[in-house]
Amino acid sequence: MLNPIQQFSWQKILSTLLSFLLAIFLLMLIATPTALASLNDDRFDGNIFALYAGNGSLVPARVTLKESLKSSKPALLVFFLDDSKDCKQFSTVVSQLQAFYGRAASFIPVNVDAIVTPITDDSTQSAPYYEGFVPQTVLIDQEGKVVLNAKGQVAFEKVDDAFREVFDLLPRSESVELKRRILNEVNIELSN
């Protein structure tokens, strides 16, 4: 059996240890942010197309530029960085464009951090089209001709106009307005 002096010192040690652990736990609760992802900063959050555009199918690209040109399909190159505020915000436009033109054209997002090949004049590679800015959008028609080369956030309408030219569609003013289907409409169609 412990004498009163030994018993007191063990109680004091345990009490101090528990207080210390509780203080660390509370400090961790207070110091930990609830979410780190943000559309309006230049921090890396992960795949911007999955996080901000709700479309993780864009990355990695399903085809290369060479494969797209070989199959005579137009290609939309989108040069981006996952840690760029402008690219995060532009990712929704790319996703909307894919909803309308994704079956008829190849969508090829290119992370500029992944460009490791020396830039050559080979027009079947994506690197020669990159001009040092993100986001950068390049639309190449079926014959390999650049129809649109725009830097920064480009309006949906500007890229849509270029796609309409490539596919020989009516101008927006003379055609039915394109509207994106909401998820509930898709669910209703599937249940019928």
Side-chain angles (χ1 to χ4, degrees):
M1 180 141 187
L2 297 173
N3 66 33
I5 295 174
Q6 290 174 331
Q7 188 178 9
F8 175 73
S9 63
W10 280 108
Q11 286 177 347
K12 188 173 183 181
I13 290 171
L14 286 174
S15 171
T16 305
L17 182 61
L18 285 173
S19 298
F20 179 71
L21 290 175
L22 182 62
I24 289 175
F25 177 73
L26 290 174
L27 185 62
M28 288 175 63
L29 275 176
I30 294 170
T32 304
T34 56
L36 296 175
S38 175
L39 181 63
N40 297 316
D41 63 34
D42 289 328
R43 284 190 305 225
F44 175 75
D45 302 323
N47 179 340
I48 62 173
F49 296 102
L51 286 171
Y52 301 108
N55 189 351
S57 71
L58 284 166
V59 176
R62 293 182 184 166
V63 297
T64 64
L65 179 58
K66 186 175 188 174
E67 294 167 341
S68 183
L69 293 173
K70 186 177 179 181
S71 64
S72 298
K73 250 182 152 175
L76 183 73
L77 298 173
V78 179
F79 295 96
F80 74 98
L81 284 171
D82 280 320
D83 58 354
S84 164
K85 173 180 79 169
D86 294 331
C87 293
K88 290 177 185 181
Q89 293 170 352
F90 185 62
S91 66
T92 58
V93 173
V94 176
S95 184
Q96 289 172 350
L97 288 164
Q98 188 196 31
F100 295 113
Y101 299 106
R103 292 180 187 237
S106 300
F107 280 71
I108 307 172
V110 180
N111 189 330
V112 297
D113 284 340
I115 298 176
V116 292
T117 57
I119 296 178
T120 65
D121 291 336
D122 185 2
S123 63
T124 63
Q125 300 295 319
S126 56
Y129 297 99
Y130 179 58
E131 296 178 355
F133 297 93
V134 289
Q136 180 185 347
T137 308
V138 179
L139 179 59
I140 302 169
D141 69 9
Q142 299 89 325
E143 288 82 36
K145 178 184 162 209
V146 174
V147 177
L148 173 74
N149 186 351
K151 296 173 191 85
Q153 294 186 38
V154 185
F156 173 88
E157 293 77 16
K158 183 173 182 177
V159 184
D160 179 51
D161 288 343
F163 267 120
R164 286 173 183 270
E165 180 182 318
V166 166
F167 291 119
D168 197 26
L169 300 173
L170 290 173
R172 191 177 308 101
S173 61
E174 298 175 24
S175 68
V176 177
E177 181 182 350
L178 295 177
K179 292 185 180 179
R180 191 172 186 180
R181 290 190 304 182
I182 59 173
L183 184 62
N184 290 339
E185 286 182 38
V186 173
N187 291 342
I188 290 169
E189 288 176 8
L190 292 176
S191 64
N192 290 338

